[in-house]
Structures are given as C-alpha cells and as structure tokens.
Amino acid sequence: MPNVASALRGSFVACCSIVVGLGLAGAAPPPAPSPQQIVEQAPATAWRDVPAGDLVVMTLPGGRIVALQLAAGFAPVHAANIRAFVRAGWFDGGAIVRVQDNYVVQWAVKDGDRPPPAGVVATPPAEYDTNATTPPFRPLGYRDAYAGQTGHVAGWPVASDGKARWLTHCYGMVGVGRDNPPDTGNGQELYAVIGHAPRHLDRNIALVGRVLGGIEPMAALPRGGEALGFYGKPEERTEIVSARIAADLPAAGRPAWQVLDTDGPVFAAWVKARANRGDGFFIRAAGALDICNAMPPVRARP
Amino acid sequence: MPNVASALRGSFVACCSIVVGLGLAGAAPPPAPSPQQIVEQAPATAWRDVPAGDLVVMTLPGGRIVALQLAAGFAPVHAANIRAFVRAGWFDGGAIVRVQDNYVVQWAVKDGDRPPPAGVVATPPAEYDTNATTPPFRPLGYRDAYAGQTGHVAGWPVASDGKARWLTHCYGMVGVGRDNPPDTGNGQELYAVIGHAPRHLDRNIALVGRVLGGIEPMAALPRGGEALGFYGKPEERTEIVSARIAADLPAAGRPAWQVLDTDGPVFAAWVKARANRGDGFFIRAAGALDICNAMPPVRARP
C-alpha cells in the first residue's frame, strides 16, 4: 500500500522533519497509526485467503503476472464461464485489445468466434445485482453520489439500495464486456477499471472480480488510437501468454493472495484512519471516504 | 470525448444492431442525444476561451504536448509563481520524476535547489480554499461523500460547505507538491491526478490547474519503483523539453483551448445526459453523477 499520507511531499524540500499538523500546541500525543501502518501491523488472523479456485493467474510477456480474483458470490455463472474459458486454454494467446485513458483496459480470448468450450453458458443471466442478504453487508457510513448506501461484503466493495446489493466499478474491478442487452457477455472478453470510478456502469454490467496484483503494467500501456481506445493494429496489442486457475497449478509455489477481512476490527480501524488522516502532512482530515477509496487491502500470502 | 455509452460493447459480438433498452415496447421515441453528441453539437457560443496567459504548453520528447490551464482565480499566488518559473525557463530540462499507479504523475523544474527566479513568492499563502462568492457556483445537485455540495465555478469542478469553496482532486487536476505545513510549495514541483479521485487531498494542497490535453502519454508512463512511485534512476525520468506560457508564443499557430461554459444550457444538458444515460446499452440509468465524472468538456479551439 502506498504511504498516501506523505505521498505528495515535495522531493525538493530539504527539510522533512517538520511536524506541525492539526494545530496542536505543546507536547503532541503520539501520532495515531497511519492506514499503511495498520495494514502492516495486522495479525495473520485479520487476513482471508482467496480461494485458489477463484484466483486467475494471467501471464503477460516478460513474465509479468496479473492476479485476478473472481467474485463467484456475485456473478457465479460468469465466474464459472471464465474458469471454463481459462481451463480450455482460450485466453492463452489472447490479447489486451483496448486501453482507454481514465477508463478501462480490456482483453479477450484468442479466436473468439469459435463455438465456446464445454461448460460455458452461452447466454448467462444478468448478474448485475443480487437480492442475497448473506454474507453480511458492512456499511461504510458515508454518503455516496450513486447509491443509498455503500459498504463491504466479504472483501468486496458494494452498494445497496436497501433491497438489492451490487459490486461497484472501482479502480481495478473487472467486468464482462458485452453488447447491447439482453446480451450479458459470456466472459471471453473482460475489462479492468483504470481511472476514476465509472459508477454509472454499476448494475449495467456483470462485475466479476478484481485485479489483486499486477495492474500497474496494464494501466501503463499505451492508449489505443481507435474509437474507445481499441488498438488499430494487431502488433499494438499485448499478448496474454497464458491464463491459469491457481487451483490447477502445483500447490508448491503457486501464487496465493489474501484480502483483509472486511468484517474485522483491523479493517474498521483502517477505514477510520483513511477517513481521518492525521499525520503532519494533513491540515484538515476529510472525515469521509468514498467506497472506491476504500478498496480492501490485499497482499501476496506471506 | 469518448462515447462512454457504448464503450464496453464487446468487439467480439457479431451483431451490434440490437436496440432494446429501457424496456420500451413497440415504436420507440427517437433516442435522446448522448453526452458526446451534445458536446459535438454545441454552438460556438457555448465555449469559453482559456486565456492565453493561463495556458501552459509543456513539450515532452517526441513533440508530445501537454496543455495545462492555470486556475488563477483559485490559487493566484501559486499560478503567478508557476508563470514566473516557466518564463524564467526553469521547467526547460526538468523532468517527470514520479508516477504512482492510481494516484499521480509528478514533475519538477531542473536544478530546483537554486534561489528562485525574480517574481516568485517563496512562501505562498495556503490557497487551499476561498471565501469568494463570485463567479457563481452552479450546484451539480447530487450527493458527495466528502462535501456538503459540489458543482462548478467558471469551468472548474468545485466543492463547498456553504461558506468556503475549493477545487476538487479529480482526474487531470494539477496541484502543487509541498512538504509538511506551513510549507505550501512554491510551484516548482507539480502533480496531476491519474487515478480515482484522491478527494482526501482537497483543502490540503493548492490545486492550481487542470491538464486540458496530452495527459494520456503521462498517464501511460511506467510506474516508478521507489517509494511513492518515484523513479530510482535519472534515466527513468521523462525530460520536459520546454514549457511556455501560450501568451508568449507567436499568436499564429500557438495552442488555444476552450472549456464548455459551465453556466450555460449546453453544459446543463450534458450533465443531465451523463446522469441519465439512455441509449440501447444501458439497462438502468444511474440518475446521479459525482463531481469527478462531471469534468467540463474541453477542446482545442477550432
């Protein structure tokens, strides 16, 4: 996690030891732990393992790894389709076909015009929201432009109108490309958000996961020159060398990821600290946090 | 402007002519103009020229141009400092020194340890917000996590608590790097937001402008490997070939930009269309818009 609290300190200022902050005079109390410190000091019990069957390991040229968690609880049919495409090898030799600035990076299987492999549901249901009431919804507690309520469900950023709940289009969230309705996309073309959250897409597309690691090289790819950021020439695309489900890899050495337990006290402390930053850099704590600035911390399993 | 309404249609679906949308049966009324169409059809009178004295033209290697508008009405001392650094040639030979994923790209003058050039205020006031009541504040009309109210002031995205008003940290907004308070930065190191809006920085840093054009290659630079995304090696940096104030360039052929008049009816229609998307792609219009998804459209002056 970046040390956001000090992230904009100029590198050009010689002295970095001034600690004034918050208008306190005289002996200041010891500073509260920063969000980063809270995460670093979290006990092992504060972390939840990502199931190996929900972890897609995508390899790009140069050995760069993109680790993607499937939101099987929110979009089970789309998640199952993606597993089936991965296991049939359809993403091997696929490519990143589109990068639109402040919006999305998008990738697709190789030769997508073939009849889908066994196990793929050709026309999945519209898994755009759910009326499920479990696992529990933990309210974030701050206003949201788009929904009556936002919060977290089992490690995921979620909005709710009090009846339905749905995943939110935050940075790094992964959705299923589709054409006009009633098509919902079958999972052979996916995108990840790489800009300010396009929340107007919420409940309009099946969000199906989140990039846990390796989004940086994808977000840093050249933007495509065609309409909507598609690349005009095949040679502009970045090849997907392979995609595998972690559970299918040898247990020894396979990638394993963890998400901070969003039902636990460490996450609650992290949210509170992010909403109320108080180190020497900040003049005025926001006293608030929007759902896409509250993406649950993740880490490679130590 | 990207055609966001159709932005996630899969390129892999053969048929793109299905128009169902919104559950209408029988003869559908003609579709309302999209946000992009509203901008494309705006009359010349709907656009406001960016003053040439507020336009910084930064040239990167390969002739890539970054056009930056100074928010002189919000941070006049910092804006004047930046003009002075530019006119003294301090940014020529400077560099992009930091790229942090989902956060900021940051650049600095060359040899920043020198005594500042004439006209630079060494310790500017904290231009983090203002009690000004003109130009008028046009409310956006939707909830915001961080402020009681958001809207626009003369082409800028703004939040307000009913007393003060301040610029918001949206994608492409430019701020002044600083160390701990009371330092506010003198303008020789700047950053632009390239990720989800870090709104907790609002009222903590002097926002001083906006990238109008050319942010894509900056946002696509490799992320820095050091703490906070700084580049560890000088050769990783991108040089700033030159920076000029547009007013200082020959009038013929110099860059000129326009921002859609945020006080006018075209902008109001654009906001309404973005909050209520209704083409064949959307199942459910958001009925809302957050301030950082309402960045006023800009264009090179035709």
Side-chain angles (χ1 to χ4, degrees):
Chain A
M1 301 297 301
N3 182 351
V4 180
S6 64
L8 292 166
R9 289 174 188 171
S11 63
F12 59 94
V13 176
C15 170
C16 294
S17 61
I18 305 166
V19 177
V20 175
L22 301 181
L24 297 172
S34 70
Q36 183 180 10
Q37 289 168 331
I38 288 169
V39 170
E40 288 170 353
Q41 296 164 6
T45 53
W47 295 92
R48 293 286 170 271
D49 288 332
V50 173
D54 290 343
L55 188 64
V56 179
V57 181
M58 201 159 74
T59 303
L60 302 180
R64 291 170 294 162
I65 301 289
V66 179
L68 158 63
Q69 180 182 8
L70 296 174
F74 284 87
V77 178
H78 286 89
N81 272 11
I82 293 168
R83 283 193 206 93
F85 279 119
V86 167
R87 286 177 163 145
W90 274 47
F91 279 102
D92 300 4
I96 296 172
V97 295
R98 171 191 186 195
V99 185
Q100 184 170 350
D101 195 63
N102 189 24
Y103 201 45
V104 297
V105 54
Q106 190 163 324
W107 61 96
V109 298
K110 184 177 182 182
D111 300 335
D113 293 333
R114 295 174 280 170
V120 165
V121 175
T123 56
E127 298 175 313
Y128 303 155
D129 55 19
T130 171
N131 291 317
T133 55
T134 56
F137 177 92
R138 302 289 174 177
L140 183 60
Y142 300 111
R143 289 184 302 268
D144 182 68
Y146 294 92
Q149 203 173 37
T150 61
H152 297 86
V153 172
W156 295 98
V158 171
S160 170
D161 60 4
K163 292 174 286 188
R165 54 171 69 168
W166 57 91
L167 295 172
T168 49
H169 273 84
C170 299
Y171 196 97
M173 291 293 288
V174 173
V176 178
R178 67 165 172 86
D179 206 300
N180 277 7
D183 173 52
T184 70
N186 68 3
Q188 69 182 44
E189 187 149 351
L190 304 172
Y191 66 89
V193 173
I194 58 159
H196 185 72
R199 295 280 309 281
H200 52 281
L201 297 175
D202 292 358
R203 304 183 90 179
N204 282 289
I205 296 186
L207 281 173
V208 74
R210 176 185 176 191
V211 177
L212 301 177
I215 198 170
E216 295 85 354
M218 292 208 297
L221 287 172
R223 280 52 181 144
E226 301 295 310
L228 310 180
F230 281 94
Y231 291 121
K233 301 170 186 168
E235 60 267 30
E236 294 178 294
R237 300 176 173 180
T238 298
E239 186 193 6
I240 299 167
V241 176
S242 70
R244 298 288 180 270
I245 305 297
D248 300 343
L249 298 172
R254 72 185 179 201
W257 284 80
Q258 296 181 312
V259 178
L260 198 63
D261 176 12
T262 51
D263 295 325
V266 174
F267 183 75
W270 178 83
V271 164
K272 186 177 177 184
R274 275 181 76 82
N276 302 282
R277 305 195 197 214
D279 76 4
F281 184 80
F282 283 86
I283 306 291
R284 185 192 300 264
L289 193 63
D290 87 290
I291 184 65
C292 290
N293 276 321
M295 287 295 281
V298 302
R299 66 175 186 181
R301 190 168 62 199
Chain B
M1 300 296 300
N3 183 351
V4 181
S6 63
L8 291 166
R9 288 174 189 171
S11 64
F12 58 94
V13 176
C15 170
C16 292
S17 61
I18 306 165
V19 178
V20 174
L22 301 180
L24 298 172
S34 70
Q36 183 181 11
Q37 288 169 331
I38 289 169
V39 170
E40 288 170 352
Q41 295 164 6
T45 53
W47 295 92
R48 294 285 170 271
D49 287 333
V50 173
D54 291 342
L55 188 64
V56 179
V57 181
M58 202 160 74
T59 303
L60 302 180
R64 290 170 295 162
I65 301 289
V66 179
L68 158 62
Q69 179 182 9
L70 296 174
F74 284 87
V77 178
H78 286 89
N81 271 10
I82 293 167
R83 282 194 207 95
F85 279 120
V86 168
R87 286 179 163 143
W90 275 46
F91 279 102
D92 300 3
I96 296 172
V97 295
R98 171 192 186 195
V99 185
Q100 184 171 350
D101 195 63
N102 190 21
Y103 201 46
V104 298
V105 53
Q106 190 164 324
W107 62 96
V109 298
K110 185 176 181 181
D111 300 333
D113 293 333
R114 295 174 279 169
V120 165
V121 175
T123 55
E127 298 175 314
Y128 302 155
D129 56 18
T130 171
N131 290 318
T133 55
T134 57
F137 177 92
R138 302 290 174 174
L140 183 61
Y142 301 111
R143 289 184 303 267
D144 183 69
Y146 293 92
Q149 203 173 36
T150 61
H152 297 85
V153 173
W156 296 98
V158 171
S160 170
D161 62 2
K163 292 175 286 188
R165 54 171 69 169
W166 57 92
L167 295 172
T168 49
H169 272 85
C170 300
Y171 196 97
M173 291 294 287
V174 173
V176 178
R178 67 165 173 85
D179 207 299
N180 277 7
D183 173 50
T184 70
N186 68 3
Q188 69 182 43
E189 187 149 352
L190 304 173
Y191 65 89
V193 173
I194 59 160
H196 186 72
R199 293 281 309 281
H200 52 281
L201 298 174
D202 292 359
R203 304 182 91 180
N204 282 288
I205 297 186
L207 281 174
V208 74
R210 175 185 176 191
V211 177
L212 301 178
I215 199 169
E216 296 83 355
M218 292 208 297
L221 287 171
R223 280 49 180 147
E226 301 296 309
L228 311 180
F230 280 95
Y231 290 121
K233 302 172 187 168
E235 60 266 30
E236 294 178 294
R237 300 176 174 181
T238 299
E239 187 193 4
I240 298 167
V241 176
S242 70
R244 297 289 180 269
I245 305 298
D248 300 342
L249 298 173
R254 73 186 179 199
W257 284 80
Q258 297 180 312
V259 178
L260 198 64
D261 176 12
T262 52
D263 294 326
V266 174
F267 183 75
W270 178 84
V271 165
K272 186 177 176 185
R274 274 182 74 84
N276 302 282
R277 306 198 196 210
D279 76 3
F281 183 80
F282 282 87
I283 304 291
R284 184 190 303 263
L289 193 63
D290 88 289
I291 184 65
C292 291
N293 276 321
M295 288 295 281
V298 302
R299 67 176 185 180
R301 190 169 62 199

